[in-house]
Amino acid sequence: MLDRLEAIHRRYEELSQLLCTPEVISDSNKLRTYSKEQSSIEEQNQAYLEYKQVLEQYQDAKAMLEDKLDDEMRELVKMELEELTPRKKELEEQIKVLLLPKDPNDDKNVIVEVRGAAGGDEAALFASDLYRMYTRFAERQGWKVEILELSATGLGGTKEVVFSIQGNGAYSRLKFESGAHRVQRVPSTESGGRIHTSTATVAVLPEAEEVEIEIHEKDLRIDTFCSSGPGGQSVNTTKSAVRITHIPTGIAVSCQDEKSQISNKDKAMRVLRARLYDMKQQEELAKQASARKSAVGSGDRSERIRTYNFPQSRVTDHRIGLTLHRLDAILDGDLQEVIDALIMTYQQEMLQSTTEG
């Protein structure tokens, strides 16, 4: 472990020197690449430096106990060891987690797709609630949200919404949100006061760069049509909406949010790249599924992952058995406790898998 940490520290120092050289400063690509690499290992480097300091103090204190000390000094050294021992163990556990294989997608921006599923108008209203929840969570993180496609219903619900979230570590925090979300409540459209169960699905896709997914023009069919829904004078008069079909896979993406056909095409291509990249990821997950099952999530979009129960103000994540009685706060974007619990469970699984390996 110490050898790996020392190698990371040496690389961190090397990058610090490279980032100060005129050659790198004048080259925006190198500057961005080296800065990103240094940022990715900064936490490990800081943990190593603190662990190294604590370890030296711990070893010095242990060595002092072997010397001839008076009673008062011996007690002081023992007290220091009592303080250093738990901190040393804490840092060792933290470093084990930091040295786990990193998901290459963790630092990516994400494209989130929320769709109403079973439950008709109530499912569409719940999809709107989920969209707002993720938007509010993104705002709390200081991330940027951009709508790529929105299909609304007449009652204020959302049949489908596709949006991007851009921010440091967005995928690492949101990747476990994919799956079926269930709501139990009395619908606003229900006069009898009966509790209904409805569902909405969420898909969180890492946003792929053009170099990661190669798309050939010959594989695309691009159709244009008039936008529909609320908007300005261009709605239903100009063919600004775009539908792109990827012929080899049959994946179709449409976008009509912008008045410009070019802007709609750019947004549609971003979603298409993300879906193709996700398809490739899902194929890899399917290959690994028989080798390792994760409590946090198999990546199956149909898996029911969470229930939002309004009568009891209860949110339950079924994968990890977590139940919280503060539904209003969670739907207002206070997802931190849920997400931290999911990440911790995943890390524990990875540690166990590494130990068994």
Side-chain angles (χ1 to χ4, degrees), residues 1 46-47 59 88 108 125 132 135 176 185 202 216 227 248 276 282-283 286 315 336:
M1 184 176 78
Q46 290 300 320
Q59 290 172 340
K88 175 175 168 287
K108 292 183 183 292
L125 290 169
R132 182 181 181 277
T135 300
F176 299 121
R185 65 183 174 188
V202 175
H216 301 287
S227 301
L276 289 172
Q282 294 299 315
E283 289 172 357
V315 176
Q336 199 66 51

Side-chain angles (χ1 to χ4, degrees), residues 62-79:
K62 291 281 283 186
M64 285 181 69
L65 282 180
E66 297 176 5
D67 295 336
K68 292 182 179 180
L69 302 173
D70 58 43
D71 291 343
E72 184 180 353
M73 180 59 73
R74 184 170 293 276
E75 283 303 312
L76 287 172
V77 173
K78 285 182 177 178
M79 287 173 61

Side-chain angles (χ1 to χ4, degrees), residues 189-206:
T189 55
E190 174 64 55
S191 58
R194 295 177 300 165
I195 296 173
H196 282 220
T197 297
S198 305
T199 58
T201 61
V202 175
V204 179
L205 317 178

Side-chain angles (χ1 to χ4, degrees), residues 22 29 35 60 70 117 132 138 168 183 217 229 238 241 280-281 284 289 302 307 318 323 356:
N29 289 328
S35 296
D60 289 345
D70 58 43
R132 182 181 181 277
N168 186 33
V183 63
E217 285 290 332
T238 60
K280 187 169 76 171
Q281 299 272 105
E284 290 298 317
S302 64
T307 294
H318 304 290
T323 296
E356 290 173 354

